[in-house]
Amino acid sequence: MPDRGAEKPAAGVFFDTDFATIDSVLAVGLLYGLQGKNNCRVAIVTVSRPNLAVVGFADAVERFYRGPAGNFAQVPPVGMATTGSPGETSAAFVQPFQKRKQDGTPVYRNQVRSVIDTGDPHTLIRNYLEAQYDGNAIFVLSGPATNLAAALAFPGLKETIAAKVKLLVIAGGAFPAGAPETHIQADIPAARKLFAEWPTPIVASGYEIGVALDFPGSSIDREFAAAVADNPIADAYRAYKTMPYDAPSWAMAASLYAVRPGEGYFKLSGPGTIHVHDDGGTSFTASEQGRHQYLVNDPEQKDRILRAYVELASAKPVPRQRFRPVDAAEKQ
């Protein structure tokens, strides 16, 4: 257990997603770019659908960013739900493994062959949360609430979440009220449970935020290519759709706000409560006692946000430094 009196490292980020859209892949790169600047530490990635191809790609991305450590057992497995529908498998998760070096060997290796190569999401969340300092973990959800809602029922985990997590940011819904949104519709009971029972503040990044901030696809063959010749995120982007195209940035917006909430990228609603309706639509009721808020688009920040997206997601992998509290002599 961490020493509660010691200086805290950057916050640990827990990223849960279904990887149903390419921006969830870009969000992983953005989080590692933020880690490279010591703004956060990527703790674990969990996937809310039982799809080995998707998890295999997510694992390859993790190993890419973790560098030499990615070849050793200390890299946590990607968590994978073992129930529900596997959903569609985009070419984005398959084609990168077909890429070859000049000698014919694979550029990326898929090391996930069966369920035993994955992790149980709830066990991973519990174990890695227990390693965090109190109030020094952040959750980002980009997908159905399946994994996180189930975690609330895992013995003792809700109490651990309350102690360790300072914020949950959800890429989902439409605010202050809007049409049903895919991530919420995918598991309405889980979304209701999450908004009703999650024990920490929640900030929602609605559909309207992501569609107002299209990630510039031109950066894939420009900034990404200039930084690293072979980047699995860039290769997945190229395979996801016919180039060139721009992509809405729901998960990237949620991730950027989660790690840098004080940077003024977005405006923020007042406090209140988010409700999930029978059709998957969402609405917001203002209340001083509410623990929910939602992001509000600020058109004046658009160019600044897109520059941050590209800079962070295309950054070269930076070896993660083991945190060591700074002693008094060093501070002086």
Side-chain angles (χ1 to χ4, degrees):
M1 295 291 291
D3 180 356
R4 293 174 185 265
E7 181 180 341
K8 292 181 181 180
V13 176
F14 293 67
F15 186 66
D16 185 82
T17 181
D18 58 356
F19 284 117
T21 55
I22 194 63
D23 83 300
S24 289
V25 177
L26 289 165
V28 176
L30 182 142
L31 288 170
Y32 273 106
L34 288 164
Q35 176 176 289
K37 293 182 177 296
N38 201 35
N39 294 160
C40 70
R41 297 167 296 113
V42 180
I44 57 169
V45 173
T46 50
V47 179
S48 53
R49 55 176 171 144
N51 188 313
L52 287 173
V54 169
V55 174
F57 177 77
D59 178 77
V61 170
E62 287 273 274
R63 294 177 186 277
F64 169 76
Y65 280 105
R66 290 175 184 263
N71 296 316
F72 299 97
Q74 64 260 37
V75 174
V78 174
M80 185 184 77
T82 55
T83 59
S85 169
E88 295 183 4
T89 301
S90 167
F93 305 114
V94 178
Q95 286 190 18
F97 291 118
Q98 299 171 5
K99 192 174 185 180
R100 294 291 185 269
K101 301 176 183 177
Q102 289 186 343
D103 62 4
T105 58
V107 173
Y108 316 111
R109 295 186 181 276
N110 189 344
Q111 301 193 41
V112 176
R113 302 298 181 185
S114 70
V115 174
I116 63 172
D117 299 317
T118 71
D120 172 64
H122 313 129
T123 302
L124 284 171
I125 290 172
R126 179 196 63 195
N127 291 349
Y128 280 82
L129 264 185
E130 287 179 349
Q132 308 301 311
Y133 285 72
D134 285 355
N136 203 42
I138 301 166
F139 273 71
V140 178
L141 171 62
S142 175
T146 309
N147 279 340
L148 300 194
L152 293 174
F154 200 74
L157 191 46
K158 186 175 181 178
E159 292 74 20
T160 303
I161 291 169
K164 302 292 184 179
V165 178
K166 62 180 177 180
L167 181 66
L168 164 62
V169 183
I170 299 175
F175 302 97
E181 188 272 327
T182 302
H183 288 167
I184 303 295
Q185 281 185 311
D187 194 338
I188 293 172
R192 282 178 167 161
K193 182 178 180 66
L194 193 67
F195 282 115
E197 298 183 20
W198 187 263
T200 79
I202 295 176
V203 173
S205 175
Y207 179 85
E208 68 282 357
I209 297 293
V211 296
L213 297 165
D214 278 353
F215 177 83
S218 59
S219 66
I220 296 296
D221 292 328
R222 194 172 59 228
E223 284 86 354
F224 278 73
V228 182
D230 295 311
N231 184 322
I233 289 178
D235 289 326
Y237 194 96
R238 295 186 185 100
Y240 185 72
K241 276 187 181 180
T242 302
M243 295 283 285
Y245 71 95
D246 298 338
S249 62
W250 301 288
M252 297 187 83
S255 299
L256 183 63
Y257 175 79
V259 177
R260 291 179 172 177
E263 290 296 313
Y265 293 116
F266 306 95
K267 296 179 180 178
L268 198 61
S269 76
T273 301
I274 292 171
H275 307 276
V276 177
H277 305 296
D278 291 344
D279 62 355
T282 50
S283 61
F284 179 83
T285 301
S287 168
E288 290 298 326
Q289 291 74 40
R291 294 203 295 177
H292 304 161
Q293 293 177 277
Y294 62 88
L295 299 184
V296 178
N297 184 43
D298 183 352
E300 294 184 359
Q301 297 297 321
K302 180 175 180 178
D303 290 343
R304 180 173 170 240
I305 292 170
L306 296 182
R307 285 195 299 271
Y309 282 174
V310 173
E311 175 195 350
L312 294 166
S314 66
K316 294 181 180 180
V318 176
R320 178 167 156 181
Q321 300 295 318
R322 183 175 177 83
F323 173 72
R324 178 176 63 84
V326 179
D327 63 29
E330 289 177 310
K331 287 181 179 179
Q332 294 175 354

